[in-house]
Amino acid sequence: MSLMLNTPMLPAAAPKAGRFDAPRPQYLELKANVHRKLLNRLNLEALASAERSRAEAEIRTLLFELIAEESMPLSMSEREAILGDVIDEVFGLGPLEPLLRDPGISDILVNTFSHVYVERAGKIERLPTTFQDNKHLMRVIDRIVSGVGRRVDDSSPMVDARLPDGSRVNAIIPPLAVDGPLLSIRRFPAERLKAEDLVAIRSMTKPMLDFLEHCVRSKLNMLISGGTGAGKTTLLNVLSSFISERERIVTIEDAAELQLHQEHVARLETRPPNVEGKGAIKQRQLLVNALRMRPDRIVVGETRGEEALDMLQAMNTGHDGSLTTVHANTPRDSLSRIETMIAMGATNLPERAMRQQIAAAIQIVIQQTRMADGTRKVTSISEITGMEGDVITMQEIFCFDKLGVTQDGKVIGRFRATGVRPKVCERLKASGVHLPGDMFEGVTEVR
């Protein structure tokens, strides 16, 4: 079945060339006209079921014909660029497609249709890329969120979603976004960082990694703390890789991002309310249900609400080795955040009882920090040792000392073991792990 309606066949087009940087207004108008005419000429029903390679070849042929009908002269680079742009519009996410193909981009930030920013190597820069208008941007947002069964409209103007490659998407539209739709995409590399990569890029030292690996294998409960974009999910993926293949893992996330390589993994994801405002499934409900699924480990992508108490109770009732993350700037702040989230559940737990739950449930707190130069480092590994009165006691085992910044903005610092031998060494010893004493001594310079 032909994809074109009453369209003669022309010679195939040349291979797609690279984009040119600053589209002129006439080019944008031409692209919009060609795209509109293309949709009128295509057999969309046949397009949906056709192989992309065959469909793309026929669309290229039709595009050459439509461009030839326009009176505006085009250079070869503009001709090839408009072909690529329209094909991206038909098969993908329009102006976002070239950005999604760039492995060096870690974040895509769209502030209305005319302002597109990206983050490369920890630095944000504006691109000449634009959408036709806010309606065009809304169509792209709708295509993203509908692909994962979610919606965004006036009654539900905020949405979290994900792309097929696992990238995290957040969109917010008017009336909440005053000037027009806002879109944020947190990308993850196709090849996720492995444990040894964190040492190679100086995110932590080998003794720190070895200690964390033994903690995971010995089923200690661990909390990863850090700010937005600090690399918490990446570290959670790495730590999860140390879980045995023989264990059943249940993951709970708002938007599925974790990529665990074990075979026995049950993945759960929250659900937003429907058009009537009903049917929402929150993390707390999934966590309660997960306890009935006979998990050996529970991994919560991010604890952010009333599910915190259920998570702690799971850790305290036989589900050792559970992992989660929380937004906080220091290990101590992360415990305060957990307390606040427990209170959000409208429980009447006294403050001391909350802290007893935290102290009994969590053994290790890891602080992940995004530095001023865009690098991510594990700046603290601390152990919760118990309670003294109404205060949770902690001791730091490893830390990162920032010493300064070079002229080109690079952070200078050192990783340092504090010299404190953690109490969990006894538990590790019971699991057959004997850590050398010099693991908790010494300094590693980072430049």
Side-chain angles (χ1 to χ4, degrees):
M1 181 185 297
S2 175
L3 304 179
M4 304 179 194
L5 302 177
N6 303 321
T7 302
M9 295 297 291
L10 297 177
K16 180 165 60 179
R19 303 284 196 274
F20 59 99
D21 287 335
R24 46 197 168 110
Q26 298 92 332
Y27 166 80
L28 296 176
E29 182 180 353
L30 174 62
K31 186 175 73 170
N33 290 338
V34 169
H35 186 215
R36 185 176 61 255
K37 291 179 181 179
L38 175 69
L39 294 179
N40 292 335
R41 299 275 293 271
L42 283 175
N43 184 339
L44 296 179
E45 184 177 347
L47 179 65
S49 58
E51 292 184 4
R52 173 161 179 164
S53 57
R54 173 177 169 266
E56 187 170 323
E58 294 200 35
I59 288 175
R60 280 177 174 275
T61 302
L62 177 55
L63 279 173
F64 268 122
E65 179 186 351
L66 295 175
I67 291 175
E69 294 174 358
E70 299 290 333
S71 58
M72 187 175 76
L74 292 175
S75 68
M76 182 59 68
S77 63
E78 288 176 329
R79 179 183 293 267
E80 294 299 334
I82 199 170
L83 286 171
D85 288 344
V86 175
I87 286 173
D88 284 341
E89 200 70 50
V90 172
F91 289 106
L93 301 178
L96 296 179
E97 283 295 321
L99 309 183
L100 293 171
R101 289 193 289 265
D102 187 342
I105 293 177
S106 57
D107 282 274
I108 301 172
L109 309 170
V110 182
N111 299 348
T112 72
F113 74 97
S114 58
H115 295 77
V116 178
Y117 298 83
V118 298
E119 179 183 307
R120 286 191 178 96
K123 302 295 182 181
I124 291 180
E125 59 183 278
R126 183 177 175 181
L127 298 183
T129 302
T130 63
F131 294 79
Q132 294 170 16
D133 49 34
N134 281 330
K135 290 182 179 179
H136 182 204
L137 175 55
M138 276 300 304
R139 289 197 299 272
V140 172
I141 292 174
D142 282 332
R143 189 176 299 180
I144 293 172
V145 300
S146 62
V148 291
R150 303 203 172 189
R151 65 186 179 88
V152 59
D153 51 39
D154 289 346
S155 62
S156 179
M158 294 186 296
V159 66
D160 287 314
R162 68 178 185 278
L163 297 177
D165 65 358
S167 298
R168 182 193 311 166
V169 178
N170 175 269
I172 181 167
I173 67 171
L176 300 187
V178 177
D179 299 318
L182 305 175
L183 177 66
S184 305
I185 302 177
R186 168 69 51 78
R187 299 192 60 214
F188 297 101
E191 289 294 325
R192 295 294 177 100
L193 291 177
K194 298 180 175 61
E196 55 271 17
D197 296 329
L198 296 184
V199 176
I201 64 175
R202 298 176 177 177
S203 182
M204 67 172 72
T205 63
K206 187 64 165 62
M208 294 167 71
L209 178 63
D210 290 342
F211 175 70
L212 293 178
E213 178 179 356
H214 291 314
C215 288
V216 173
R217 295 190 186 280
S218 300
K219 306 194 72 171
L220 300 185
N221 295 321
M222 304 171 70
L223 175 66
I224 301 172
S225 166
T228 300
K232 299 186 298 299
T233 302
T234 297
L235 182 57
L236 185 59
N237 265 315
V238 168
L239 295 182
S240 299
S241 68
F242 299 133
I243 299 176
S244 169
E245 290 280 356
R246 297 189 297 272
E247 297 183 74
R248 173 172 169 81
I249 308 169
V250 177
T251 68
I252 300 171
E253 301 174 84
D254 266 339
E257 301 168 350
L258 294 174
Q259 292 187 348
L260 275 63
H261 299 292
Q262 290 85 346
E263 182 177 348
H264 199 167
V265 178
R267 304 173 71 204
L268 305 179
E269 185 179 43
T270 60
R271 187 178 73 183
N274 58 21
V275 178
E276 291 79 26
K278 301 178 181 179
I281 303 296
K282 298 183 178 181
Q283 281 199 144
R284 186 171 194 177
Q285 295 166 275
L286 293 179
L287 188 50
V288 171
N289 187 81
L291 300 178
R292 305 188 183 108
M293 297 172 64
R294 199 256 171 230
D296 290 308
R297 308 256 191 163
I298 297 176
V299 179
V300 178
E302 181 182 337
T303 302
R304 63 178 68 188
E306 55 192 21
E307 71 275 4
L309 179 59
D310 300 279
M311 183 70 191
L312 294 178
Q313 289 178 330
M315 291 175 170
N316 276 326
T317 54
H319 298 91
D320 294 335
S322 296
L323 303 167
T324 188
T325 73
V326 66
H327 273 82
N329 292 326
T330 67
R332 178 64 64 180
D333 286 346
S334 70
L335 303 187
S336 298
R337 284 291 315 280
I338 296 288
E339 283 186 52
T340 303
M341 288 186 277
I342 294 174
M344 289 170 60
T347 61
N348 294 319
L349 270 179
E351 191 175 80
R352 179 177 174 80
M354 290 185 193
R355 293 176 180 175
Q356 285 176 330
Q357 287 270 358
I358 296 171
I362 302 171
Q363 286 82 50
I364 300 293
V365 180
I366 307 163
Q367 185 67 36
Q368 179 87 4
T369 304
R370 176 179 171 177
M371 312 304 289
D373 59 359
T375 60
R376 279 81 169 173
K377 298 187 187 300
V378 175
T379 53
S380 176
I381 299 176
S382 302
E383 174 190 32
I384 295 179
T385 56
M387 295 273 294
E388 285 186 5
D390 291 338
V391 179
I392 300 173
T393 56
M394 304 177 70
Q395 60 183 13
E396 195 167 51
I397 303 167
F398 296 98
C399 66
F400 176 79
D401 297 327
K402 181 179 175 181
L403 302 178
V405 180
T406 63
Q407 290 185 346
D408 58 353
K410 296 294 183 182
V411 171
I412 301 174
R414 63 180 184 180
F415 290 104
R416 176 172 56 87
T418 62
V420 175
R421 188 171 180 83
K423 290 186 176 181
V424 295
C425 284
E426 295 302 317
R427 182 164 172 177
L428 298 181
K429 188 183 296 183
S431 301
V433 177
H434 298 274
L435 299 179
D438 59 0
M439 172 179 280
F440 306 107
E441 299 174 0
V443 172
T444 301
E445 294 288 342
V446 177
R447 294 189 179 275

